[in-house]
Amino acid sequence: MAGMAPGIEALVFDFDGLLMHTETTHLDSWRTEWAYHGLALDESTFFADHGGDTSEQHYAALAAAVGSGFDRPASHARRIAYRDTLHEGLDLAPGVRDWFAAAAGLGLRLAVASSSPRAWVEDHLTRVGELGRFEARAFGDEVAGHKPDPAVYLLALRRLDLPPGRVVAFEDTAHGVAAAKAAGLRCVAIPNPYTDPTAFSAADVVLRAATDLPLPELLARL
């Protein structure tokens, strides 16, 4: 591991918006459902400043905009069917597989720590053939608090049986970075397109994409 920051033994990745661009398909499914009703989604307030499922808030906003004729079950079925077609062609973010291969060559262990439920993350990773890379996994349906609460990172650390100083987190949102730092991890940020790029001052390194740096060079900066 020459050239790397000393003591790094594992990498922990967020999922949505970081490993896979599911934030984009999520937004697109809601934008399309609003358009179905002849309405425009306010994208400026769409994404929350915390992890976890915000579907109920989105359906409440759509129901209020549509009025008394809103059919929630039909809307949900239509949106999910469209989202699932988008996911059929969704792969890992560019550069991520190169990082995985480099991590294997360096003897680094991999984990995932997501505010999303286990089934959501594992189904996606299974579909693209990458679930087996992650020896430790921690999910939002296993902890009481969502990011920026550090609970899911603390769970990942317990499952890795490593102290935070030996682990590096990878995040795409400011609240994800806050969760990682609160758990004591160094953190690399790759802001997703729907976040304020100036809100990542707490991250140790900020990249535009995983293709910006080879993993060994990135870790040497930490």
Side-chain angles (χ1 to χ4, degrees):
M1 299 186 196
M4 285 174 46
I8 297 175
E9 295 186 34
L11 312 178
V12 183
F13 293 87
D14 175 51
F15 179 72
D16 295 290
L18 190 284
L19 287 183
M20 298 184 77
H21 293 317
T22 50
E23 301 283 15
T24 299
T25 57
H26 182 61
L27 174 61
D28 194 13
S29 73
W30 280 101
R31 183 194 295 123
T32 301
E33 185 57 22
W34 277 69
Y36 175 87
H37 296 282
L39 301 168
L41 173 67
D42 181 1
E43 299 180 17
S44 67
T45 60
F46 181 77
F47 288 103
D49 60 356
H50 57 82
D53 189 0
T54 56
S55 294
E56 289 304 317
Q57 296 95 305
H58 291 316
Y59 278 120
L62 180 56
V66 173
S68 59
F70 181 65
D71 185 336
R72 161 69 183 269
S75 176
H76 179 71
R78 186 169 48 244
R79 187 183 70 82
I80 296 302
Y82 175 64
R83 188 196 67 189
D84 288 348
T85 65
L86 297 176
H87 286 162
E88 289 174 5
L90 190 65
D91 199 2
L92 294 179
V96 167
R97 278 196 177 88
D98 292 336
W99 279 0
F100 288 170
L106 293 167
L108 297 173
R109 302 160 65 193
L110 300 185
V112 62
S114 171
S115 287
S116 293
R118 175 183 292 273
W120 171 261
V121 178
E122 292 191 343
D123 285 356
H124 278 295
L125 290 175
T126 298
R127 179 175 53 78
V128 297
E130 298 292 347
L131 180 63
R133 295 231 188 222
F134 300 92
E135 66 169 271
R137 306 162 197 161
F139 305 103
D141 52 358
E142 299 182 289
V143 295
H146 294 304
K147 299 172 185 178
D149 189 300
V152 75
Y153 275 112
L154 296 174
L155 178 58
L157 289 172
R158 288 197 298 274
R159 289 177 174 169
L160 286 166
D161 193 24
L162 286 174
R166 296 187 179 276
V167 181
V168 177
F170 292 77
E171 277 287 350
D172 71 301
T173 63
H175 58 266
V177 172
K181 299 300 285 186
L185 282 72
R186 286 169 282 188
C187 187
V188 175
I190 305 177
N192 75 55
Y194 315 108
T195 59
D196 177 0
T198 68
F200 289 82
S201 59
D204 296 279
V205 177
V206 180
L207 304 177
R208 293 169 301 175
T211 52
D212 280 1
L213 286 176
L215 184 67
E217 184 178 340
L218 168 62
L219 297 179
R221 296 190 179 190
L222 295 171

